[in-house]
Amino acid sequence: MIDKGLALSLLRVVQSSAERVEFGASATLRKFVTDSGIGLIQGGKVLFNEGHKERIRAWLNADNIDPDTPVDAWSRLGRADALDIGPDEKWAGEAVRAQRIAIKALKGRPLLVDGQRIYLPPLANMEWSCPDALQYLRHDAVIVVENWEAFERIDDLQVDLSNVSTNPLILWRGGGSRSSVGTAMRFAEAYGRPVWSAPDYDPEGLAIASRLPHLVGVLAPHDDVLRRFLAESKLHGRYSQQLPGAQASLEQATHPDVKRLWALVRASGNALPQERLCRA
């Protein structure tokens, strides 16, 4: 079965004008010419005349791909729909969980779902589609947690919650295969409630916090405690690595919590992952 990268490259070839015969000699097209005998390699170019293009159309049809399929068609589809225009549901541009968020409440407090109070077991969370969550959740504030382990163990995270409402929604920022960062941020933006950040205490974490929608505060331990943890940290290398990409955002930050915490982190020259503050 043809792979997606090759299929997209070949679609670009066959949908080009009849006059165009030269294409960049990518590794994908070079391998195709070598394996299939269709086309010619000349230096940094691959040549496909109209006869070659017709053979490529037949090649695509044999793999259940219409040669007139727009190159970006898969980017708009989920897995089920992807099978209608190609041989593999995994070609879908949207990851299986791309429009889902991971949420929970603090220990002993319920998720407020359209008039219902849902109590989750310890360390459990709920995964839900973003549109449905926006429609049915009824919390008055959101805590965005940067890392998965801290999200799972939010009740062990030693930060000052005294200014947060009594039952905020706990939202994982997302990442990897579990849920999308973009979806979590779109949810927070559209939900419109006050947002608290629970970040890593390093340049990147504070820069991320500074860009959160509806940000009202950044959660942290008391300054003297955070200063001690930072002094004990061995992660100067992480701090140095993150600094070039985050410094401009941090120097322009206007939120007082971000400015205060950045001053502490900068003075230490170290990074502190939020998991360090998870104490059972």
Side-chain angles (χ1 to χ4, degrees):
M1 180 179 69
I2 192 172
D3 69 69
K4 183 181 178 182
L6 175 58
L8 297 181
S9 293
L10 295 181
L11 285 172
R12 292 187 183 95
V13 170
V14 299
Q15 292 173 17
S16 64
S17 65
E19 294 78 22
R20 183 180 177 186
V21 297
E22 291 188 354
F23 301 86
S26 66
T28 298
L29 287 180
R30 283 179 177 274
K31 187 174 188 306
F32 172 75
V33 172
T34 300
D35 292 346
S36 69
I38 301 173
L40 298 170
I41 300 173
Q42 286 190 358
K45 301 288 184 181
V46 175
L47 309 183
F48 295 112
N49 60 30
E50 192 54 37
H52 295 140
K53 292 179 184 180
E54 194 57 40
R55 292 172 64 189
I56 293 172
R57 292 186 185 96
W59 186 289
L60 291 168
N61 277 318
D63 264 310
N64 195 35
I65 300 170
D66 185 333
D68 294 324
T69 302
V71 174
D72 65 349
W74 285 274
S75 66
R76 303 187 295 268
L77 300 179
R79 287 194 172 199
D81 293 330
L83 285 172
D84 293 335
I85 63 170
D88 193 331
E89 75 279 4
K90 296 183 180 65
W91 287 18
E94 187 171 274
V96 176
R97 289 161 143 171
Q99 297 302 320
R100 303 181 75 79
I101 58 172
I103 56 175
K104 64 193 311 179
L106 294 171
K107 183 178 180 180
R109 299 171 201 178
L111 286 171
L112 304 178
V113 182
D114 198 26
Q116 301 180 60
R117 300 166 72 87
I118 299 175
Y119 290 88
L120 298 178
L123 300 179
N125 65 84
M126 178 174 173
E127 189 179 282
W128 208 2
S129 75
C130 182
D132 288 341
L134 285 169
Q135 182 175 355
Y136 295 113
L137 285 170
R138 298 290 183 264
H139 292 261
D140 60 2
V142 180
I143 295 177
V144 177
V145 184
E146 183 167 346
N147 298 326
W148 178 258
E149 182 180 345
F151 169 73
E152 282 196 308
R153 299 180 58 196
I154 187 65
D155 298 302
D156 298 329
L157 190 63
Q158 302 301 297
V159 295
D160 181 8
L161 295 172
S162 60
N163 293 317
V164 184
S165 63
T166 57
N167 189 15
L169 179 70
I170 311 303
L171 171 68
W172 181 45
R173 181 174 167 265
S177 61
R178 289 190 181 96
S179 68
S180 161
V181 172
T183 300
M185 293 305 95
R186 285 191 294 273
F187 171 85
E189 175 70 43
Y191 199 48
R193 272 63 160 189
V195 168
W196 295 82
S197 172
D200 286 331
Y201 305 95
D202 54 29
E204 187 174 284
L206 293 177
I208 289 170
S210 73
R211 296 191 292 267
L212 290 177
H214 311 299
L215 181 69
V216 296
V218 182
L219 301 179
H222 292 294
D223 286 1
D224 56 342
V225 176
L226 180 59
R227 191 178 290 110
R228 175 168 55 82
F229 275 121
L230 284 164
E232 294 170 354
S233 173
K234 308 297 184 184
L235 298 178
H236 176 70
R238 180 184 297 188
Y239 171 91
S240 299
Q241 183 179 24
Q242 293 181 2
L243 187 59
Q247 188 166 12
S249 294
L250 292 170
E251 299 300 343
Q252 295 169 13
T254 59
H255 194 285
D257 284 358
V258 175
K259 294 172 70 173
R260 187 186 85 255
L261 293 170
W262 170 228
L264 293 174
V265 171
R266 182 175 53 195
S268 75
N270 290 324
L272 181 70
Q274 63 183 162
E275 291 88 347
R276 182 71 177 83
L277 302 179
C278 285
R279 300 290 183 88

